Amino acid sequence: MSLRSDALTIVRTALQAVDARTLVNQAVRKEGQRLAVDGGDLDLSGFRRLFVTGAGKASVAMAAMLEEILGDSIDTGLVITDHGSAAPLRKVKVLEAGHPLPDKDGLDATRELRSLLWAANEEDLVFFLLSGGASSLLASFRNGISLEDARKTFGLLLHAGLNIAQMNIIRKAMSLAHGGRAALWASPATTVTLALSDVPADDIQTIGSGPTVPDDTTPSLLQDALRGHGLRARLPASVLASLDGLTDGDFLRPSNPCFDRGRYVVVGNNQKAVMAAQRAALKLGYDTAIWPAGLSGDCTEAANEFLRFARTARSHTRFCALAGGETTVRVEGNGRGGRNQHFVLTVVPAISEEEEILVLSAGTDGRDGMTDAAGAILDAEVLRSANDRKLNPAVYLKDCNSYGFFEQTGGLIRLGTTQTNVMDLALILFSGTHG
C-alpha cells in the first residue's frame, strides 16, 4: 500500500475511536430505572422529567445516541449545531447556528434553549451535551454588544494568533450564555454535562467556553488577554467598554448554588485519537513514536520541530511519528486556509521529491479554518505537482493561502462531517530505510 493510503487509514481509524456516538455509549448505561454515568449511578424514578440539551458540532450525534439509550425516558430537548450538520432526532429538537462566527440564528436558538432550561426545576434531570463550536453557537451577549460587533470580535480573535484558552477568556466575558450561565439557567435541576474535549489538558472551563461550570476569570486576567496580540487597538469600542466594566461579581464562582447539583464527564479527547492512530500504524507495520511536546503554540515553529523530531526518532524500518493538539496562526495575508494546511505547507521547503516521506495534518472535526478541507497531505505526488507548476511555497505562506497551494497540487484532505471534534492530528510517515 502507498504512504498516502496508509496515512488516511490511520486518520480514519483515529476518528472512529472518538466518534461521538461511540463515546456517549461508552459513558452512559441504562438498566431499568438505574442510569450509570461514568461510574456514578442515577435513579431515573427520582426525577419528574428528563431533558436532553446542549451545543456543539458533535451535539446531534451525541443526542442521537442518548435517544437510543434513554428512549421514552426523554421528555424534551434541544441541541444547537452548526449550519449543515443538523439531522432529525425523535425526541430532541435540533437548531442550526453560525460557526465560527455567531449569527442571528444563534441568538434565536440560544434564546429558545434558555427558555427550555428555565422551565426545569429541582425534580428534573438535565443532560447538557457539549462539544467544540459551542463558543459561537451559544450566542447571547452582554448589554451594549451588538451582533455585528460580536462577529467582528470573534473574527479578530480567530486571526490574532491566540491560543484557545486566551480566546475563550474573552469570549466568556462577552457572553451571557457561557462561564456557567447555562447551569444557572437550569438550576435547581440536576445536571449532567457530557463533554467532548477539543482543548489542551481537557480544561473544562475552556471546552465550549464552559457553559455549565464555574468561571475563574478575573478582571486582571481578562485585561491581560485583551492586551495581548494588539487586540485593544482593534476591538470594537462597545466590546471594550463592556469588558472594561466587569468586576469580580460578574463571574460565576464555584460557591454559586447553581453548581451544587451538577456532574461533568469528559467522554473523549485528543489523547484517545492519538492512541488509536498509534495502534493503527502499528497494525500496518510501522514503528511509531508520539511527539511528547504535542501540537501547540506557533504553527510554523511546531511544524518544523515536529519534522525534526520525526527525522531524529525514526528507525531503519517503516516509521510513523504522531502528534496531537492545536497550533495557532497569526493570519496576515489575504488567502484561504487553516492551521492544519498551514502546518503542512510550512515544511514543503524542507522535503525533497526523492525523499520517501509523507506529512499530514488534519482537524478531527473535518474542517480546517473556513474551508471545506480537514487539512492537507504532503508527499512526492504533491511535490511533483508543485514543481511542475513552479509554485513557490513561500509566496503562499506569506499570503496565508495554504488552501490555494494544496488545491492545485492535490494535497487537500476532505473527510466530510466526522461527528466528532477533539482538536488536530498530525503524522509523518517514512517508507523503507535511511538513505
Side-chain angles (χ1 to χ4, degrees):
M1 295 179 72
S2 69
L3 288 180
R4 181 174 290 215
S5 176
D6 286 349
L8 293 175
T9 295
I10 292 168
V11 169
R12 291 192 175 104
T13 301
L15 292 177
Q16 290 171 4
V18 289
D19 173 76
R21 293 174 60 99
T22 300
L23 295 171
V24 170
N25 193 40
Q26 292 170 349
V28 180
R29 288 283 187 274
K30 182 176 181 290
E31 293 183 7
Q33 291 298 301
R34 304 298 300 180
L35 194 64
V37 181
D38 194 41
D41 281 347
L42 291 167
D43 183 0
L44 291 180
S45 66
F47 298 101
R48 184 169 63 95
R49 293 179 301 175
L50 194 158
F51 296 55
V52 174
T53 65
K57 289 182 277 187
S59 62
V60 177
M62 297 172 80
M65 180 49 67
L66 263 193
E67 285 194 339
E68 287 189 27
I69 296 169
L70 299 173
D72 290 335
S73 297
I74 299 172
D75 290 278
T76 187
L78 169 63
V79 295
I80 306 171
T81 191
D82 56 320
H83 290 297
S85 294
L89 298 176
R90 191 166 64 89
K91 290 276 194 173
V92 180
K93 184 175 182 178
V94 179
L95 294 176
E96 293 182 327
H99 177 273
L101 304 181
D103 63 6
K104 185 179 182 301
D105 289 334
L107 294 176
D108 294 340
T110 303
R111 191 177 300 112
E112 186 169 339
L113 177 62
R114 182 177 59 209
S115 295
L116 180 65
L117 291 174
W118 273 346
N121 61 38
E122 66 276 2
E123 297 179 312
D124 298 328
L125 173 63
V126 175
F127 275 92
F128 196 95
L129 309 177
L130 183 64
S131 57
S135 293
S136 63
L137 297 171
L138 284 172
S140 180
F141 304 105
R142 294 188 182 276
N143 290 339
I145 300 178
S146 67
L147 176 59
E148 180 182 358
D149 284 349
R151 286 174 61 86
K152 181 178 180 181
T153 301
F154 274 52
L156 287 169
L157 295 177
L158 289 168
H159 291 88
L162 283 76
N163 63 41
I164 188 64
Q166 294 168 324
M167 194 181 307
N168 282 0
I169 285 173
I170 297 171
R171 294 197 288 200
K172 277 191 296 182
M174 294 171 58
S175 176
L176 292 175
H178 300 94
R181 300 290 169 177
L184 189 64
W185 298 343
S187 180
T190 298
T191 62
V192 177
T193 301
L194 303 180
L196 194 58
S197 173
D198 66 333
V199 305
D202 302 335
D203 177 13
I204 63 175
Q205 292 192 31
T206 303
I207 300 170
S209 293
T212 60
V213 294
D215 186 3
D216 67 6
T217 301
T218 62
S220 61
L221 192 64
L222 174 60
Q223 291 303 320
D224 287 344
L226 290 171
R227 282 191 290 268
H229 303 269
L231 283 173
R232 287 198 68 92
R234 295 185 288 162
L235 289 176
S238 68
V239 173
L240 284 177
S242 179
L243 299 187
D244 287 346
L246 297 180
T247 66
D248 272 318
D250 291 304
F251 303 97
L252 295 178
R253 305 305 189 195
S255 58
N256 193 296
C258 73
F259 302 116
D260 289 349
R261 302 178 67 183
R263 182 183 301 183
Y264 196 105
V265 180
V266 176
V267 298
N269 56 19
N270 185 258
Q271 184 182 14
K272 281 181 178 283
V274 174
M275 298 305 294
Q278 183 181 43
R279 291 192 296 271
L282 289 168
K283 189 174 181 179
L284 289 169
Y286 290 87
D287 285 345
T288 66
I290 297 173
W291 189 32
L295 305 175
S296 64
D298 179 75
C299 181
T300 298
E301 293 179 8
N304 289 320
E305 286 295 328
F306 184 43
L307 181 60
R308 279 192 285 271
F309 165 80
R311 283 177 165 156
T312 301
R314 68 171 294 195
S315 60
H316 287 271
T317 59
R318 286 153 56 89
F319 183 78
C320 173
L322 293 158
E326 185 173 294
T327 62
T328 61
V329 179
R330 185 179 178 89
V331 179
E332 296 177 336
N334 297 310
R336 295 179 66 200
R339 60 180 178 263
N340 291 284
Q341 295 161 69
H342 195 90
F343 183 95
V344 178
L345 183 58
T346 294
V347 301
V348 170
I351 295 175
S352 70
E353 206 175 307
E354 291 74 31
E355 190 173 8
E356 294 182 346
I357 185 174
L358 175 146
V359 181
L360 177 152
S361 187
T364 56
D365 62 352
R367 297 163 209 170
D368 187 31
M370 298 180 72
T371 74
D372 61 352
I377 197 165
L378 172 65
D379 57 9
E381 179 183 334
V382 171
L383 285 172
R384 280 193 296 271
S385 180
N387 291 334
D388 290 345
R389 289 171 169 77
K390 296 181 171 53
L391 302 183
N392 184 348
V395 172
Y396 286 84
L397 280 170
K398 185 177 181 180
D399 198 34
C400 288
N401 191 20
S402 51
Y403 185 94
F405 181 91
F406 289 112
E407 185 178 36
Q408 295 179 75
T409 57
L412 292 176
I413 302 171
R414 293 184 173 91
L415 299 173
T417 302
T418 63
Q419 305 293 348
T420 192
N421 185 14
V422 292
M423 298 195 286
D424 303 332
L425 178 67
L427 61 85
I428 298 177
L429 297 182
F430 295 93
S431 176
T433 59
H434 289 278

